[in-house]
Amino acid sequence: MYNNIYGYSYSIPAEDPFTGIGMGIMMFYIIVMLLIGIISLTSYILRGIGLYTIAKHRGYEYAWLAFIPFFRIYLQGKLSGDITFKNKTMRDTGIWLAVIPLMYGVVVSVIYGVICLCGMLAIFSMTMHVSAGRILILIMLLILALAIGLGYEVLYKTLRVMVNYQIYCNMTSGNMAVAHAVLGALLPLYESICFFVMRNREQSNNNETHDADSTEDTEEEQKTEEPQEEMPIANEAVSLDTGDSDEVASDNEITEL
């Protein structure tokens, strides 16, 4: 008799909970980045087509600049024209609209570069001692960078609102132009959609205004021509009156004789 006992045991590896959380976070990050990429690409295409069509209607030779990343900002400012503040006028709006982000990038890069340099010197210092003065300088630089960033956002968005307002004024009424300009500064895709939807309105509005001016001119011409037609009638009446008076005078002379 053989008494063989066979025992089988299977070990199921336990899943690490952190692995599932990490995969979920990674998938969420990928989905968010895909959505941002799709929105950015859609905004780029719609805005390019809108600016290109508006520039073509206005007769700009270099309308294709609407599809070049840096120069499209210059074209947008060029389409708005000069901006007037009470007694002052900002000329070359396209240059200002393109240069301000570059200036901001240079200043902020220098500040953050100084912050990184101070941090590296503190880490690799031989004494490994960070004084209170260095910490205070780092804090002040961070506050300065945040203040410059906030000022830049306010200044640049205000300038964009004024530029878009002047562009929208040629395509819609004043109140709607203000609403579209403000919403375009707050909502990411709104500005591009407005340029795309309104790209053909400018030409129709110009034609309507031209027709209105022509009708006003014809009405004015008719008003000026009407008195000229009545003048001969008035002259005939005067001549008839004078003729009657002459006849009455000749009759009186005959009776006197």
Side-chain angles (χ1 to χ4, degrees), residues 65 94 112 118 146 161 166 173 178 183 201 204 218 227-228 237 247:
L65 293 176
Y112 281 114
C118 293
L146 293 175
V161 167
Q166 295 197 167
S173 61
V178 173
L183 290 175
R201 289 188 182 180
S204 62
T218 54
Q228 292 179 357
E247 291 178 357

Side-chain angles (χ1 to χ4, degrees), residues 35-249:
L35 289 176
I36 292 174
I38 292 170
I39 292 173
S40 300
L41 182 60
T42 305
S43 176
Y44 182 87
I45 294 172
L46 294 179
R47 187 178 171 191
I49 295 172
L51 290 175
Y52 176 81
T53 308
I54 295 171
K56 274 293 186 181
H57 286 326
R58 294 194 179 185
Y60 282 91
E61 184 178 359
Y62 302 101
W64 49 268
L65 293 176
F67 297 101
I68 300 177
F70 178 76
F71 293 98
R72 66 191 306 183
I73 301 175
Y74 168 77
L75 180 63
Q76 183 176 349
K78 193 74 174 175
L79 291 173
S80 69
D82 299 334
I83 296 177
T84 303
F85 303 94
K86 293 184 179 179
N87 296 327
K88 296 182 180 179
T89 302
M90 177 185 286
R91 303 186 183 277
D92 299 326
T93 310
I95 296 176
W96 284 104
L97 201 64
V99 168
I100 288 176
L102 293 178
M103 295 172 61
Y104 168 74
V106 171
V107 173
V108 171
S109 298
V110 171
I111 293 175
Y112 281 114
V114 173
I115 292 173
C116 293
L117 181 61
C118 293
M120 291 175 64
L121 290 176
I123 292 173
F124 294 103
S125 178
M126 296 298 294
T127 58
M128 298 298 293
H129 176 70
V130 181
S131 62
R134 291 181 179 179
I135 295 174
L136 182 61
I137 291 173
L138 290 175
I139 293 173
M140 291 179 64
L141 288 174
L142 286 173
I143 294 174
L144 179 63
L146 293 175
I148 292 174
L150 181 61
Y152 164 76
E153 288 293 330
V154 173
L155 175 64
Y156 193 69
K157 285 188 178 296
T158 303
L159 182 60
R160 288 283 291 269
V161 167
M162 298 182 70
V163 166
N164 293 335
Y165 168 74
Q166 295 197 167
I167 296 174
Y168 294 143
C169 280
N170 295 322
M171 299 178 287
T172 184
S173 61
N175 295 329
M176 293 303 298
V178 173
H180 290 317
V182 173
L183 290 175
L186 299 176
L187 303 177
L189 198 60
Y190 192 87
E191 181 183 27
S192 300
I193 294 174
C194 284
F195 284 147
F196 180 78
V197 172
M198 300 181 186
R199 67 189 187 278
N200 292 318
R201 289 188 182 180
E202 187 175 12
Q203 187 176 5
S204 62
N205 288 337
N206 288 334
N207 292 332
E208 290 175 359
T209 54
H210 180 70
D211 295 337
D213 293 337
S214 62
T215 53
E216 290 178 358
D217 294 337
T218 54
E219 290 177 357
E220 291 179 356
E221 290 177 356
Q222 291 176 357
K223 289 179 181 178
T224 54
E225 288 177 357
E226 287 176 356
Q228 292 179 357
E229 293 177 354
E230 294 176 354
M231 288 298 294
I233 299 172
N235 292 330
E236 290 177 359
V238 172
S239 63
L240 291 173
D241 293 337
T242 54
D244 294 336
S245 63
D246 293 337
E247 291 178 357
V248 172

